[in-house]
Every structure is written in C-alpha cells, then in structure tokens.
Amino acid sequence: MDQQASIQHIQHITYSTKYSDDTYEYRHVVLPSQLTAIVPRHLLAEHEWRSLGLQQSRGWIHYGFYAPEPNVLLFRRKLPTQQPGEEGGTVTAIDAGAAAPPAAGTATASTNTTEFT
C-alpha cells in the first residue's frame, strides 16, 4: 500500500463515542473495508493496531471483533480509580495493563479472539 493510499485509509477510520460499565470504558473503531483483508484475525497488540493507522490515547486494549462486520474492532480500558478518602472526580490511577475476564455477555474463543454477534 503506497503512502497516499495509506493516508486516505487513515482519514476514513471512524471512532465511536465512549461508553462504559462499572469497570471499563469502551469504544469501537470502524476501519475502511479495504483494510479488512490486511487486519490479522487475532487480538492486536498496541503496536499492531497503531501500524494500521489507529490513533487513540494510551491504555486502550483490543479485546474483540464484531463478527457481522469484520472491519469493526472493539477496544476497552479500565476506568480510573479513586484512592480511599478522595472525593469528587479526581483521577488518581489507571490500570490499563491488567488482564481481566470478559464482561458478562461476551464470548471468548480458544484462539484468543473474541467475536460478538
């Protein structure tokens, strides 16, 4: 893929708004369908999804694919935690690297790939 084509694909990457539960903040990223063929079908390390042109702040973990649309990647990161005795919305720590079991209602395949239908 030449540099001009790569720039065009990056311009067409769509990022969802963030949504959350009690533990994680989530977002999904829609890649141009032309990139689907080059996206590995395993969970991507940060350097892999960044090499595809994705731009997100630190702490986002690729945790699955949306099966009906293989160009949709699912990301999550731990919500900030408060230290005991702190009040208000002060962010004191983010545990982005911790592995956790999938959220309720998710399915994990033995190939280390999570798909949602």
Side-chain angles (χ1 to χ4, degrees):
M1 183 179 316
D2 67 18
Q3 185 175 8
Q4 184 65 28
S6 179
I7 291 170
Q8 285 181 322
H9 289 306
I10 291 170
Q11 291 173 344
H12 290 94
I13 293 173
T14 305
Y15 300 85
S16 74
T17 55
K18 299 170 191 167
Y19 44 99
S20 63
D21 59 19
D22 292 339
T23 307
Y24 293 100
E25 179 175 38
Y26 300 92
R27 78 169 351 156
H28 58 274
V29 177
V30 181
L31 300 174
S33 57
Q34 299 88 342
L35 288 180
T36 303
I38 66 168
V39 175
R41 295 311 292 174
H42 62 267
L43 297 180
L44 305 176
E46 183 173 349
H47 74 275
E48 291 176 300
W49 55 259
R50 287 197 187 277
S51 72
L52 295 171
L54 276 69
Q55 298 177 358
Q56 304 184 90
S57 55
R58 291 181 175 208
W60 289 101
I61 304 296
H62 177 228
Y63 74 95
F65 296 89
Y66 181 58
E69 298 178 58
N71 60 318
V72 177
L73 306 179
L74 307 174
F75 290 87
R76 71 181 177 193
R77 67 178 171 185
K78 280 278 225 180
L79 287 172
T81 58
Q82 283 185 291
Q83 296 296 326
E86 290 186 357
E87 295 184 26
T90 305
V91 175
T92 57
I94 298 177
D95 184 13
T106 61
T108 303
S110 62
T111 59
N112 201 23
T113 300
T114 306
E115 293 190 355
F116 295 82
T117 54

